[in-house]
Amino acid sequence: MLNLYNTLSKQKEVFKSINPGKVGMYSCGPTVYGYIHIGNIRAYLLSDTIRRYLEYIGYEVRLIKNITDVGHLTDDDVAQGDSGEDKMVKAALKEKKSPEEIARFYEEYFKQVEKEMNILPAHFFPRATAHVPQMIKIVEGLIEKGFAYEKNGNVFFDVTKFEDYGKLSGNTLENLKVGARLEEHPDKKNPWDFALWLKAPENHLMKWPSPWSVGYPGWHIECSAMSTEYLGNTIDIHTGGEDNIFPHHEAEIAQTQCYTGKQYVRFWLHGRHLMVDGKKMSKSKGNLYTLEDIKEKGFSAMDLRLLMLSSHYRSQTDFSWEALEQAHKNLQRINDFVLTLEALALRDISVTNTFDVTAYQEKFEAAMNDDLNTPLALAAVYELITEVNKKNDDETLSSTDAKKILTLWKKINAVFGLVLSGQAEIPEEIKRLVAEREQARLGKDFKKSDALRILIEEHGFILEDTKDGQKIRLAS
Ligand code: AMP
Ligand code: ZN
């Protein structure tokens, strides 16, 4: 049984979907005014892992991930409705492009990164700019029902009207009154009210007509509009990074539940942050790494994927190159394990003792069922690798078992989503012999070249001369 930690109840709960066999899932997607960084990737990998595991246990998942192409205002005070820079517009002015051009460019980049990370594409990526009418409709409904008010073309949600405000984040009105320092906005009744619609200043680039003013939507309303549009009033799972909990998700709950009169989300899942030297990796702090930075240092997107799977999504993780190096080695180990199994499966080895494959599957599932404990699930795989290697050395693994283990690995890897190179890691010693042989061939010293080939083969590798040069692989 799958147990997931629900930020709303602050405990692990047995997961059950509203409609049997089907899951509706919404993940807060990127703000497309800049390159996404590997912290963002961690958040998207969380929703990918949930989706993949739900599919593994037999659910049909519908995943919606929004594209925030309205320059939303990220600082907390701004999110409360005060003036601030519109980051999309700022980026557009800097790059001398229209906000739309900027948004499309970074949206493409985001999708390319997801592809390289082997994050399965969402079933739909709705853009905020294409859903302004739906947002206006919700705001109208909230005003009608008395949950929101308009002043001078700005519309705010009246937080005092929603009893459950603060249940998700702990920022109840009492706590907000004492703790948070919220900037006053002249049109707000209470400092903790948040913006649903804002009147655009004269020179504002992104603005739409509305019953209240020519303006633009508040940051939170887009997710309520798009999630309910594509998934209905009650959603099974909603994900995001921990910084989304407040004010974004708290506000989403308030405005959606007051509008629909129904529970908005059953399971709220939040990933902890990826940190750098103890600080959150973020655009505004400028301490971020992109996938390009990772690749420039010689690592692959899959090294990064494995690194991220190696820590639990609810543990704050510090990014380090040493940890990435370790992930790189582990990925190679997994790759070699699969190559070994493939080789064994092709042979005809029959031994009497059989391998308990099911035990490993059970360990994997127990770990994943416990709030998607990917590090523990990976530990089960590493244990399996050690066992296979030992049996392979002793020549006590049958071809039939090798095939069974391969089948299990493919099932497990549908959840991990690791794309393996299918190439053996070549030891330095062998690489040196290959380079020496290349020199011999160039110098037309075929005797030496042949002798080196034999030496390489004696080490268990096969050398092929192709039009692109020498290719080396592990002998099966
Ligand atoms: P943004 O584009 O800033 O709205 O962020 C997109 C997603 O990435 C959100 O779900 C954020 O919570 C998440 N996120 C941002 N920074 C980090 C980080 N350093 N670690 C993990 N998730 C993050
Ligand atoms: Zn959102």
Side-chain angles (χ1 to χ4, degrees):
M1 240 178 329
L2 173 60
N3 282 268
L4 295 175
Y5 182 89
N6 190 346
T7 312
L8 191 60
S9 64
K10 291 165 191 59
Q11 60 188 13
K12 288 180 199 169
E13 292 176 38
V14 175
F15 177 76
K16 227 176 136 225
S17 61
I18 304 162
N19 297 316
K22 295 196 170 157
V23 175
M25 204 174 140
Y26 186 88
S27 297
C28 284
T31 309
V32 281
Y33 63 77
Y35 296 107
I36 65 159
H37 56 75
I38 61 172
N40 302 133
I41 293 178
R42 188 179 194 207
Y44 307 136
L45 190 61
L46 166 62
S47 73
D48 192 49
T49 307
I50 303 169
R51 181 240 185 111
R52 285 172 178 270
Y53 191 60
L54 286 169
E55 287 175 351
Y56 173 99
I57 56 179
Y59 282 105
E60 191 188 310
V61 181
R62 178 168 167 79
L63 172 66
I64 305 294
K65 195 179 283 179
N66 66 300
I67 302 287
T68 300
D69 56 352
V70 175
H72 82 210
L73 315 165
T74 51
D75 300 338
D76 278 8
D77 52 350
V78 172
Q80 298 294 325
D82 298 311
S83 61
E85 291 175 291
D86 182 319
K87 294 200 175 171
M88 183 85 77
V89 173
K90 200 180 158 214
L93 293 174
K94 199 170 143 209
E95 298 188 25
K96 294 198 172 40
K97 288 183 182 147
S98 71
E100 198 189 13
E101 281 172 318
I102 296 276
R104 296 298 165 267
F105 175 81
Y106 290 114
E107 180 182 323
E108 267 322 299
Y109 174 76
F110 152 75
K111 286 188 177 155
Q112 178 57 33
V113 169
E114 281 216 326
K115 197 168 165 200
E116 280 185 56
M117 289 299 298
N118 200 26
I119 291 173
L120 298 174
H123 299 90
F124 190 47
F125 292 97
R127 291 174 183 151
T129 49
H131 295 79
V132 178
Q134 286 91 331
M135 298 181 214
I136 291 177
K137 195 169 153 226
I138 298 177
V139 179
E140 279 180 318
L142 288 170
I143 295 176
E144 231 168 77
K145 291 179 183 175
F147 292 108
Y149 57 92
E150 184 263 347
K151 199 170 174 203
N152 294 328
N154 297 310
V155 184
F156 297 95
F157 184 90
D158 184 346
V159 169
T160 60
K161 299 272 167 63
F162 182 56
E163 234 180 46
D164 284 348
Y165 193 78
K167 262 203 172 164
L168 183 76
S169 63
N171 286 321
T172 54
L173 280 186
E174 289 72 52
N175 292 346
L176 280 176
K177 279 177 197 167
V178 193
R181 285 172 25 246
L182 298 172
E183 297 280 319
E184 294 286 344
H185 184 291
D187 297 334
K188 275 189 192 178
K189 278 194 205 160
N190 313 295
W192 38 83
D193 292 349
F194 58 86
L196 294 169
W197 187 266
L198 291 166
K199 187 177 166 182
E202 203 49 45
N203 57 355
H204 203 89
L205 291 176
M206 303 186 93
K207 51 191 168 190
W208 292 263
S210 80
W212 317 287
S213 60
V214 174
Y216 55 96
W219 164 30
H220 318 300
I221 195 72
E222 65 168 276
C223 284
S224 294
M226 293 188 273
S227 59
T228 50
E229 172 89 1
Y230 298 103
L231 296 168
N233 288 342
T234 306
I235 297 161
D236 289 302
I237 300 175
H238 194 314
T239 75
E242 60 179 319
D243 57 334
N244 282 162
I245 299 174
F246 188 84
H248 187 46
H249 290 163
E250 194 71 70
E252 269 190 65
I253 295 175
Q255 65 205 6
T256 319
Q257 294 195 176
C258 289
Y259 178 66
T260 64
K262 307 230 163 59
Q263 182 183 6
Y264 174 40
V265 171
R266 299 272 290 264
F267 280 79
W268 283 97
L269 267 76
H270 293 100
R272 299 296 300 269
H273 280 147
L274 186 66
M275 316 289 282
V276 183
D277 302 326
K279 292 199 189 74
K280 179 196 166 194
M281 183 179 295
S282 73
K283 278 180 199 128
S284 51
K285 288 200 181 64
N287 62 350
L288 52 85
Y289 294 111
T290 62
L291 183 56
E292 274 59 45
D293 296 326
I294 301 297
K295 291 194 291 189
E296 256 168 39
K297 294 250 182 173
F299 294 102
S300 69
M302 287 304 113
D303 294 334
L304 183 63
R305 188 170 175 113
L306 185 57
L307 173 71
M308 291 188 173
L309 291 172
S310 306
S311 62
H312 189 244
Y313 77 89
R314 279 194 301 113
S315 70
Q316 221 170 45
T317 308
D318 227 84
F319 172 79
S320 78
W321 294 105
E322 294 73 35
L324 189 58
E325 179 64 45
Q326 186 56 50
H328 171 77
K329 286 187 184 139
N330 289 343
L331 188 68
Q332 197 56 50
R333 191 164 167 234
I334 294 174
N335 189 63
D336 291 347
F337 155 74
V338 175
L339 289 175
T340 304
L341 287 173
E342 281 170 353
L344 286 171
L346 287 176
R347 293 219 231 137
D348 184 20
I349 312 165
S350 40
V351 284
T352 44
N353 56 328
T354 54
F355 198 99
D356 189 1
V357 183
T358 323
Y360 289 96
Q361 178 164 4
E362 281 168 1
K363 275 189 195 183
F364 166 79
E365 289 175 7
M368 291 303 288
N369 282 338
D370 184 12
D371 193 28
L372 310 166
N373 195 332
T374 50
L376 205 61
L378 277 168
V381 170
Y382 296 141
E383 206 184 301
L384 173 63
I385 293 177
T386 308
E387 184 74 10
V388 164
N389 287 346
K390 196 167 143 278
K391 287 225 158 31
N392 187 31
D393 288 347
D394 303 346
E395 300 196 341
T396 55
L397 190 71
S398 71
S399 304
T400 315
D401 282 341
K403 278 182 206 150
K404 274 194 213 156
I405 299 167
L406 258 183
T407 306
L408 173 63
W409 163 250
K410 283 181 189 151
K411 257 189 100 173
I412 289 177
N413 197 34
V415 178
F416 290 146
L418 296 166
V419 181
L420 301 176
S421 68
Q423 302 264 323
E425 174 121 278
I426 313 299
E428 283 309 313
E429 166 68 6
I430 303 295
K431 278 189 198 157
R432 202 180 51 73
L433 292 175
V434 173
E436 211 179 304
R437 182 171 175 269
E438 182 66 18
Q439 286 307 315
R441 265 159 44 96
L442 285 173
K444 305 217 181 310
D445 186 348
F446 296 115
K447 208 167 154 207
K448 187 173 176 193
S449 148
D450 284 347
L452 282 165
R453 171 199 284 279
I454 291 165
L455 195 57
I456 289 164
E457 287 179 354
E458 277 172 5
H459 280 84
F461 289 87
I462 290 184
L463 197 62
E464 283 163 334
D465 293 317
T466 74
K467 62 176 173 44
D468 301 322
Q470 303 180 93
K471 285 261 154 67
I472 182 129
R473 64 183 165 85
L474 201 62
S476 49

